[in-house]
């Protein structure tokens, strides 16, 4: 069966998370893999929360290669869609449906690579492990995190390849392929303003918690947090600078980069660089007041804080404090239970060179750069096992396809003809990494 049919079948299995119900996809994949003489294992962390693991055996001279993916998708607002989000329909040259880009397309790619290994039976120096995991879109707790805690032997590997990389961004006619070499960490914060309570009929705005909080939020969202250039982003900026007509040394100078950034003509690339070169603290949840005629003495906002590799909790708190100032009765609280570490894997050495070479083998004009992801993925769960992870899910989209606007959006869809190129790149890459 061809890749598109598998993608359609996977889209038709509703694995919206919550609740997940990834067992549908895990069972489907297990059936396909068993048909190719694999001995897949379906593991349920909770009823319905299924993950599937299969292994192609090499001679074990080197630690395995892990192809990991997630089987869940984010929920949909069905009324906003042109086609049934769980129909897997083909129309206008696209396969439509939730997961077409994130990431049942990549599940399919990795599946086809496993089927090709089973058919061609190459002799490899590493095992190749396929891990289709539950629960990436919510917490990972019922998916990869569970597997790491309870079945580490099944997924232990030296190298991990997954989503968020090797997908082109176009810049002045150049196809830029960022490969994800790391991601930011979480530092959730709360801004808490305190003042006097009172009656809503006689407000004292000179000492008013909601007003203090509003001023703090206004200051925070008006200011840019400082620029930090990690080794990964320095490599990327040096490669990109000449394509934009910028001096590489100036573009890598944290003091000058913010002023130069607007000269990057692609908004997608501009956003990528912006978010990968600073910590962030986005206000997301507001809370104050219990009754319309009572002035609350406390007002709070939750900040979705993200830190670059090398940045500490104290660093981001100091940056937020500098942005909001010290003249307001607003404290910054750190919710440590939501912390996760940033990751950064050096964009150098034989593994990195193999990834770059295999993109350029089938796309000689590609400009490959390393990147840090602003968000987080399942790759964090693998850190305790010492797996070196890369976002490497090659797709050759054309310049007019607006991928970034469709991931997690309405009418998620993928061009029918875009899977095969990436499957060939991924297959060659797997062979080379395991030879
Ligand atoms: Zn994803």
């Amino acid at each position: 069966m061809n890749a598109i049919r598998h993608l359609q079948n996977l889209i038709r299995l509703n694995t919206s998370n919550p609740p997940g119900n990834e067992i549908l996809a895990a069972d489907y994949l297990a059936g396909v893999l068993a048909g190719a003489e694999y001995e897949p294992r379906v593991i349920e962390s909770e009823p319905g929360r299924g993950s599937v693991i299969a292994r192609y055996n090499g001679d074990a001279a080197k630690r395995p290669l892990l192809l990991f993916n997630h089987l869940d998708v984010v929920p949909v607002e069905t009324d906003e869609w042109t086609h049934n989000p769980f129909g897997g329909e083909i129309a206008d040259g696209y396969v439509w449906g939730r997961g077409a880009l994130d990431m049942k397309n990549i599940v399919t790619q990795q599946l086809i690579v496993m089927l090709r290994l089973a058919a061609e039976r190459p002799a490899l120096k590493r095992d190749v492990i396929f891990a289709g995991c539950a629960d990436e879109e919510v917490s990972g707790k019922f998916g990869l995190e569970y597997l790491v805690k309870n079945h580490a032997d099944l997924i232990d590997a030296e190298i991990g390849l997954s989503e968020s990389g090797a997908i082109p961004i176009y810049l002045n006619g150049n196809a830029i392929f960022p490969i994800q070499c790391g991601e930011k960490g979480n530092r959730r914060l709360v801004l808490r303003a305190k003042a006097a309570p009172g009656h809503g009929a006689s407000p004292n705005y000179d000492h008013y918690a909601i007003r203090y909080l509003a001023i703090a939020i206004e200051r925070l969202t008006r200011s840019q947090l400082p620029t930090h250039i990690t080794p990964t982003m320095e490599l990327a900026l040096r490669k990109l600078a000449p394509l934009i007509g910028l001096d590489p040394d100036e573009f890598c100078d944290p003091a000058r980069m913010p002023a130069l950034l607007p000269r990057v003509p692609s908004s997608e690339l501009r956003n990528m660089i912006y978010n990968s070169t600073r910590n962030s603290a986005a206000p997301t949840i507001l809370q104050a007041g219990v009754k319309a005629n009572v002035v609350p003495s406390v007002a709070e906002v939750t900040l979705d804080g993200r830190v670059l590799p090398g940045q500490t909790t104290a660093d981001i708190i100091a940056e937020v404090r500098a942005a909001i100032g010290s003249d307001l009765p607003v404290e910054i609280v750190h919710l440590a239970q939501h912390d996760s570490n940033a990751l950064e894997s050096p964009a150098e050495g034989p593994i990195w060179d193999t990834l770059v070479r295999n993109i350029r083998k089938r796309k000689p004009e590609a400009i490959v750069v390393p990147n840090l992801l602003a968000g987080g993925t399942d790759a964090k769960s693998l850190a305790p096992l010492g797996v070196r992870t890369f976002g490497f899910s090659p797709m050759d989209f054309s310049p007019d396809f607006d991928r970034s606007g469709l991931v997690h959006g309405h009418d998620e869809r993928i061009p029918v003809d875009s899977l095969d190129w990436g499957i060939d790149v991924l297959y060659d890459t797997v062979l080379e990494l395991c030879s």
Side-chain angles (χ1 to χ4, degrees):
M1 197 191 294
N2 67 23
I4 290 297
R5 288 297 301 278
H6 285 300
L7 174 58
Q8 290 178 286
N9 289 343
L10 284 166
I11 288 172
R12 288 169 188 150
L13 303 171
N14 184 345
T15 54
S16 297
N17 189 11
N21 216 8
E22 300 90 342
I23 191 71
L24 299 173
D27 282 343
Y28 173 82
L29 294 166
V32 175
L33 289 160
E37 291 177 35
Y38 283 103
E39 293 170 17
R41 275 191 65 178
V42 172
I43 293 168
E44 272 182 287
S45 55
E46 295 269 309
R49 310 308 303 272
S51 298
V52 57
I53 299 174
R55 179 179 295 251
Y56 179 84
N57 290 310
D59 69 8
K62 299 178 183 175
R63 269 174 83 205
L65 168 66
L66 176 66
L67 303 176
F68 65 105
N69 58 67
H70 63 83
L71 307 178
D72 59 328
V73 295
V74 293
V76 296
E77 295 169 86
T78 306
D79 293 348
E80 304 289 333
W81 285 63
T82 310
H83 296 272
N84 176 1
F86 302 104
E89 293 169 39
I90 295 180
D92 308 320
Y94 298 98
V95 182
W96 297 68
R98 178 58 88 216
L101 292 169
D102 182 13
M103 64 180 284
K104 287 177 171 173
N105 56 333
I106 301 158
V107 175
T108 301
Q109 271 194 336
Q110 296 187 347
L111 172 70
I112 299 288
V113 165
M114 296 304 285
L115 298 182
R116 216 184 262 185
L117 287 174
E120 297 181 8
R121 307 224 66 85
L124 302 181
K125 291 209 176 334
R126 315 176 186 271
D127 294 356
V128 180
I129 305 168
F130 175 96
C133 304
D135 199 31
E136 193 267 354
E137 296 289 5
V138 174
S139 74
K141 216 164 65 183
F142 298 108
L144 193 54
E145 204 179 304
Y146 177 86
L147 296 176
V148 168
K149 278 188 188 142
N150 298 285
H151 299 278
D153 53 313
L154 296 180
I155 49 169
D156 182 63
E158 180 183 359
I159 312 162
L161 302 181
S162 193
E163 62 183 330
S164 308
I167 296 165
I169 297 175
Y170 289 87
L171 175 72
N172 295 339
N174 297 290
I176 315 289
F177 281 72
I179 295 177
Q180 186 195 319
C181 291
E183 54 191 53
K184 290 161 89 173
N186 290 327
R187 289 297 183 282
R188 197 172 297 176
L189 305 174
V190 168
L191 298 183
R192 182 174 297 150
K194 287 188 179 167
H199 199 292
S202 53
N204 174 13
Y205 292 136
D206 291 335
H207 194 48
Y208 205 86
I210 287 178
R211 177 167 168 263
Y212 292 138
L213 188 70
I215 295 170
I217 293 172
E218 206 278 329
R219 288 178 182 172
L220 177 66
T221 52
R222 185 159 42 86
S223 51
Q224 285 190 4
L225 297 188
T227 303
H228 307 284
I229 297 180
T230 62
T232 296
M233 291 312 293
E234 168 142 17
L235 285 170
L237 296 179
R238 284 195 179 279
K239 272 202 146 172
L240 293 171
L243 308 175
I244 311 161
L246 296 172
D247 176 74
D249 289 335
E250 287 183 18
F251 203 27
C252 291
D253 178 350
R256 304 170 91 163
M257 202 270 259
L260 297 172
L261 196 57
R263 287 169 59 182
V264 177
S266 149
S267 63
E268 191 179 357
L269 196 60
R270 216 160 43 233
N271 287 339
M272 184 189 102
I273 296 171
Y274 183 89
N275 289 313
S276 305
T277 53
R278 70 202 68 227
N279 302 326
S280 62
T284 51
I285 303 171
L286 276 169
Q287 254 174 328
V290 288
K291 198 164 178 292
N293 63 354
V294 177
V295 174
S297 62
V298 178
E300 292 186 348
V301 64
T302 302
L303 304 179
D304 179 8
R306 309 282 176 137
V307 290
L308 290 167
Q311 293 285 307
T312 65
T313 305
D315 291 334
I316 187 172
I317 287 176
E319 291 181 356
V320 170
R321 174 56 72 194
I324 66 175
S326 303
D327 57 326
L328 301 168
V330 174
E331 57 176 329
I332 302 171
V333 182
H334 170 216
L335 304 182
Q337 68 271 31
H338 299 286
D339 281 6
S340 69
N341 291 326
L343 302 177
E344 189 167 34
S345 171
E348 59 187 24
I351 296 171
W352 170 256
D353 292 343
T354 298
L355 302 182
V356 175
R357 187 164 48 243
N358 278 285
I359 292 176
R360 291 177 52 87
K361 186 172 128 190
R362 292 179 187 273
K363 190 94 179 167
E365 71 276 23
I367 296 165
V368 183
V369 299
N371 181 39
L372 293 175
L373 193 72
T377 71
D378 260 349
K380 283 188 172 68
S381 302
L382 291 167
L385 301 181
V387 185
R388 195 174 162 197
T389 53
F390 296 92
F392 189 81
S393 50
M395 299 273 160
D396 188 19
F397 296 132
S398 67
D400 53 6
F401 179 62
D402 173 27
R403 171 189 163 275
S404 63
L406 295 172
V407 173
H408 290 206
H410 307 316
D411 282 343
E412 186 176 345
R413 61 192 183 275
I414 187 170
V416 170
D417 57 10
S418 63
L419 280 183
D420 290 345
W421 180 85
I423 290 170
D424 288 338
V425 173
L426 187 61
Y427 187 70
D428 289 353
T429 306
V430 167
L431 292 187
E432 199 176 322
L433 287 173
C434 298
S435 61

